[in-house]
Amino acid sequence: MNETRRAALDAALEKLPLVAILRGVRPDEIDAIFDALVTAGFRMIEIPLNSPRPWESLERIAKRCPDDVVIGAGTVLDPNVCQRLADLDAPLVITPNSDPLVVGEAARLELAPMIGCLSPTEALAAAQAGATALKLFPAGSLGTAYFKDIKAVMPLDLPIFAVGGIDIHNMSDWIAAGIDGFGFGGSVYRPGWSADEVGEKARGLISEWRRVKEGLSQASELEREADA
C-alpha cells in the first residue's frame, strides 16, 4: 500500500470507520453507485467477490479512485487474490472467516486485512497473524453483549467492525457498546437500487454515526466537568 492510500485508510479508520458493502453490484452500474457513495462521504468501499464480474467492477473504480478513498474486495477466501488487489491499489481484503493464509499474505503485501471472526479464538488468531481490523460477523445475531465480551480480550489498538444485521435503527446501541466501526450491506446497497437511492441511504447512515458519536462526546464532557 502506498503512502497516499495508507494515509487515506488511517483517516477513514479514525474519522469515519464505515465500509459500504456492494454485494451484487454489476459493472454497468458501479460507476454511478461508487460516485454516490463517495459524494455522500464514504471512504471505504468493498466489492464482494461473489458479485457479478467483481474484478471488472474493481478495475473500473480503481482507475479513478480518489486519493482519500480506499477500495477492495470482500468475501476473500483465496490468498492468491491479495496480489491482484495489490496490483490494483485496492488494499481492503475483507473476509467472512479467519484464514491465517489470507491474513498472512495480505499483511506481507502491506494491504489492509479486515478479518471475519466469531469466537475469541478466531479473533485473537487473526490479530496475531496481522489483521488491520476485525469484522464481527454476523454481528446482529450475536448482539452487543457478546461483542463486549470479545472486546474485553482484544488488543486495544485493533478496531472491531460490526457487520451483518446493522442498520440506521440499531447503530446507536453498538456505538454505545464501544464498537469501532460498521460494515453496511443491505442498509446501503441492494441490487436494483439506483445511485440516488444509495446516496440517500449513505447520507443517512453517516449522519446517524456522527449524531451518536457527538452525543456520546458531549455526555462524556459533561461527566468530566461534573467530576472536576
Side-chain angles (χ1 to χ4, degrees), residues 37-60:
L37 288 167
V38 171
T39 299
F42 269 84
R43 292 297 176 262
M44 292 186 286
I45 298 172
E46 165 197 343
I47 296 179
L49 293 181
N50 56 358
S51 301
R53 307 199 308 279
W55 290 106
E56 186 177 337
S57 292
L58 280 163
E59 289 165 3
R60 289 178 71 100

Side-chain angles (χ1 to χ4, degrees), residues 35-122:
D35 289 345
L37 288 167
V38 171
T39 299
F42 269 84
R43 292 297 176 262
M44 292 186 286
I45 298 172
E46 165 197 343
I47 296 179
L49 293 181
N50 56 358
S51 301
R53 307 199 308 279
W55 290 106
E56 186 177 337
S57 292
L58 280 163
E59 289 165 3
R60 289 178 71 100
I61 60 175
K63 291 176 181 177
R64 58 189 194 86
C65 184
D67 287 343
D68 61 348
V69 175
V70 185
I71 64 171
T75 318
V76 176
L77 303 175
D78 183 350
N80 294 321
V81 165
C82 295
Q83 184 62 61
R84 193 167 180 180
L85 290 171
D87 293 341
L88 285 176
D89 191 21
L92 293 182
V93 180
I94 303 178
T95 73
N97 64 329
S98 295
D99 185 336
L101 294 178
V102 173
V103 184
E105 182 65 2
R108 184 186 72 80
L109 293 169
E110 298 185 339
L111 300 176
M114 295 179 149
I115 303 304
C117 60
L118 180 65
S119 70
T121 299
E122 292 173 336

